[in-house]
Amino acid sequence: MAAVWAAAFPVVSSLGPHRVWGASACVGYLCAAVAVLSRCSLGRAVSVWIAGIGAVLVPLVVLVLTGGAQSEVGVVERAGLLTVRQGTPYLADPQAVVEVTPYLPGMALFGLPGAVVADGWEPLRYLGDARLWCAAAFLGCLWAAGRVLGGRARPRGTGQLVGAALIASPVVALPLAVSGVDLPLTGLLCLALALAARHRPVAAGLALALACSLKWTAWPALAVVAALLAHRAGLGAALRGTGVAVAGTVLAVLPSALLAPGPLVEQVFAFPTGRGEWETPAASPLPGRLLADLGPFGWYAAMTLLAAGGVAVAVSLWVRPPAGLVPAADRLAVGLCTAFLLAPAGRFGYLALPVLLSVWARLAEAPSRVAPARSRVVAAGSAARPVLVGGDR
């Protein structure tokens, strides 16, 4: 299925980076399928690494070396350069849509390496590609989340194999190779949920602050993490975590808000919702976009439905707060899906974020669900038969 999906990109996509990824990933997934069907004892492990090479490593290297990328990669790199030069990532008077920065100031961090090596040795400039640093942040967050949750119930090496399979899947491999800007946000949300599930409100708040300073689409996670902390660790923990998250976000955004309040509001909030001077390229035919295309009445209808969806999710958190990592990730995924579907502008690709959250949570929590069941079986077996001194034969 993954090979078929990848094979469609060279045929239907008008974006060069997508076609490159599709051709390479299709070959990788087909070779991985052959490895799985083989009788080799290491077939599954080999297939995962083959898929990763074909769907992640090869297209990423090719695109970085050739300069092929979605436009947002250049936007992030320019944001880093502008932050170094003027203290804010926003141009006062953008002359084209590619000069608009629709991200909060934290995203400029991933453009700073490019600003540092911009005038350096030519081969060193490749290290300034924002995708590499977005990928590093994403992988680092997943690793940290795994450490927080623990994975002792899995056989040795299984956790790494499952993680590699997730990264090699199309939902991660495609954005990692062609864009990557949503991956740090996803990784930080996973880390925040993991920390909240393990009763660590301050650390969860710090992870949320970093996520919320990248894109305002992370803000719904504040309510979900607060509900999870309140259920697992009490109201005080929820207030501490939320307070740290809000304070950290304000500190990250405040300098740009003071230096360039107009450009920040125009580019970060008006532009993505279809109310800016420039038309956003995020124009997939989702319900909110179709309503907005009907005119002002349709735009207000889409915003009303969006607000109603947010209220419904908030009420569900109050009435039935999530009790663990998986329910919390699912509730956040529902909220994000509602936002992406009903927003006046959006892309189908945005839906990869909630899908990844739900899938990751289930993979990450699998050990903690397996261990108690296994220990109960051992305990039941021990209780059912006497223990003989010197060994039970």
Side-chain angles (χ1 to χ4, degrees):
M1 182 62 71
V4 173
W5 192 72
F9 279 83
V11 178
V12 303
S13 179
S14 60
L15 300 176
H18 283 203
R19 293 196 297 269
V20 171
W21 178 85
S24 178
C26 180
V27 174
Y29 291 141
L30 287 175
C31 293
V34 172
V36 168
L37 295 175
S38 68
R39 296 184 178 181
C40 176
S41 60
L42 298 177
R44 289 188 177 181
V46 171
S47 70
V48 169
W49 293 111
I50 291 175
I53 292 171
V56 178
L57 183 60
V58 171
L60 179 61
V61 170
V62 169
L63 290 172
V64 168
L65 293 179
T66 60
Q70 289 184 194
S71 60
E72 51 262 40
V73 176
V75 170
V76 171
E77 293 174 355
R78 186 191 65 245
L81 189 61
L82 288 174
T83 300
V84 171
R85 291 178 176 176
Q86 63 183 30
T88 174
Y90 309 106
L91 288 172
D93 186 24
Q95 300 299 309
V97 66
V98 294
E99 295 184 356
V100 174
T101 304
Y103 310 118
L104 287 166
M107 190 66 78
L109 290 174
F110 301 101
L112 291 181
V116 171
V117 301
D119 299 324
W121 184 40
E122 182 66 30
L124 193 62
R125 295 181 189 176
Y126 294 121
L127 296 179
D129 194 294
R131 282 170 293 188
L132 301 178
W133 301 98
C134 288
F138 172 70
L139 296 176
C141 286
L142 289 192
W143 176 84
R147 297 282 293 180
V148 169
L149 295 171
R152 292 183 294 273
R154 279 192 178 131
R156 187 173 182 180
T158 303
Q160 292 86 341
L161 186 62
V162 171
L166 178 63
I167 295 167
S169 67
V171 73
V172 175
L174 173 60
L176 194 154
V178 304
S179 172
V181 296
D182 284 328
L183 292 179
L185 173 66
T186 307
L188 286 167
L189 292 180
C190 291
L191 180 57
L193 289 171
L195 290 165
R198 292 298 182 264
H199 311 170
R200 297 171 63 178
V202 174
L206 290 173
L208 271 182
L210 291 173
C212 292
S213 68
L214 300 181
K215 298 179 72 172
W216 58 267
T217 50
W219 292 359
L222 287 169
V224 176
V225 171
L228 178 58
L229 283 170
H231 183 83
R232 298 292 292 267
L235 181 60
L239 292 176
R240 288 197 303 275
T242 304
V244 170
V246 172
T249 303
V250 170
L251 288 176
V253 176
L254 188 59
S256 290
L258 295 176
L259 291 172
L264 187 150
V265 172
E266 175 72 18
Q267 298 179 41
V268 177
F269 298 101
F271 172 73
T273 57
R275 306 300 284 182
E277 178 182 355
W278 303 97
E279 183 177 357
T280 171
S284 296
L286 297 171
R289 174 70 186 198
L290 295 177
L291 280 173
D293 286 344
L294 298 178
F297 175 80
W299 187 87
Y300 284 111
M303 294 300 293
T304 301
L305 290 174
L306 180 60
V311 170
V313 174
V315 170
S316 76
L317 291 171
W318 177 265
V319 174
R320 189 175 181 180
L325 177 64
V326 173
D330 286 346
R331 203 72 61 87
L332 180 55
V334 169
L336 291 174
C337 279
T338 302
F340 296 150
L341 290 173
L342 297 178
R347 287 193 178 112
F348 287 116
Y350 293 166
L351 297 174
L353 195 163
V355 170
L356 181 55
L357 281 173
S358 290
V359 172
W360 167 82
R362 284 164 172 76
L363 294 175
E365 274 290 83
S368 62
R369 292 198 299 269
V370 173
R374 182 176 299 171
S375 59
R376 285 196 299 270
V377 171
V378 173
S382 299
R385 57 197 178 111
V387 177
L388 302 180
V389 178
D392 182 5
R393 298 288 186 248

